[in-house]
Amino acid sequence: MECAADPTRTPPEGRDGARPIFLVGMMGVGKTTIGRHLAAALGREFVDLDHAIEARCGVRIATIFDIEGEAGFRRRETASLDEHTRRPGLVLATGGGAVLAEDNRRMLRERGCVVYLRAGADELYRRVARDRSRPMLRADDPRQRIVDLLAQREPLYESVAEVTLDTGDQPIAQVLRNLLPLLPVRSAAQAPLTE
């Protein structure tokens, strides 16, 4: 499915005339890695929303959760999302829970092309099982937690997505080859894809 401009929207445009691209999906699906490579291929700026929040606060996301709870983190996330989705021509990787708030979903839908990067629960668990820095995985059964989060969030990801792409266990270069034809106008400065 192509990310054609919606005539009822007035999204910011980058120097290549394309809308900003927002990546959504579960933790561990590859939003940051794919986002960096996508931005490089398109000659665009890349921002990881969680990293931007950490830089602004001076502490890790897990620490924000410890001090302010999930509700405090989500308020910070919404404020940062509002700021970054207004920037033209950006490739933005959101946090896995950014779609939970209706305001966030509205901003994503109205301000850019939303790409839902999808993977199954087993693949996600394989990727994040050893990562102790993820506050949403602080559970007796982290695999079941991923299953539960995916069941809750998948309809929300789908509700904002203009493009949905399964990442599976493909190499990044293959994911980009599959994704690029689905996106808005590409930059003339697009870099060649490498393995």
Side-chain angles (χ1 to χ4, degrees):
M1 174 186 293
E2 188 170 328
C3 280
D6 180 338
T8 63
R9 299 179 184 182
T10 54
E13 293 187 354
R15 66 178 182 264
D16 61 3
R19 295 164 36 199
I21 299 167
F22 309 136
L23 305 178
V24 301
M26 284 289 290
M27 68 183 102
V29 78
K31 297 181 301 287
T32 300
T33 303
I34 292 167
R36 277 193 190 108
H37 285 82
L38 178 62
L42 296 175
R44 292 182 175 206
E45 180 184 2
F46 171 73
V47 172
D48 178 291
L49 193 65
D50 282 350
H51 295 169
I53 294 168
E54 288 178 341
R56 177 164 287 163
C57 294
V59 296
R60 308 261 312 151
I61 297 296
T63 304
I64 298 171
F65 265 76
D66 290 343
I67 295 170
E68 299 180 357
E70 184 175 357
F73 169 74
R74 296 295 174 204
R75 283 190 296 275
R76 290 180 182 278
E77 182 178 57
T78 295
S80 189
L81 186 68
D82 184 34
E83 173 189 338
H84 285 89
T85 55
R86 294 177 186 275
R87 294 174 57 187
L90 190 67
V91 174
L92 178 70
T94 65
V99 296
L100 295 173
E102 174 56 39
D103 282 349
N104 294 358
R105 294 194 301 274
R106 178 189 48 76
M107 284 185 265
L108 290 166
R109 279 191 305 264
E110 292 177 358
R111 297 179 184 173
C113 175
V114 183
V115 177
Y116 170 27
L117 298 176
R118 183 170 57 191
D122 289 336
E123 178 67 18
L124 293 169
Y125 179 70
R126 184 185 67 74
R127 294 179 188 184
V128 300
R130 290 178 169 63
D131 188 344
R132 303 289 177 233
S133 69
R134 297 183 184 269
M136 297 306 294
L137 289 184
R138 293 178 183 165
D140 292 335
D141 185 349
R143 189 193 176 287
Q144 185 59 49
R145 180 73 172 140
I146 289 172
V147 169
D148 295 342
L149 288 171
L150 187 57
Q152 174 196 25
R153 295 175 179 180
E154 188 161 41
L156 302 176
Y157 297 137
E158 291 172 350
S159 76
V160 297
E162 294 180 56
V163 172
T164 298
L165 184 70
D166 290 305
T167 61
D169 59 358
Q170 302 173 56
I172 296 299
Q174 184 60 49
V175 172
L176 288 178
R177 277 192 288 274
N178 295 340
L179 179 57
L180 284 167
L182 305 175
L183 296 175
V185 178
R186 294 159 45 187
S187 169
Q190 185 171 346
L193 299 177
T194 58
E195 291 295 331

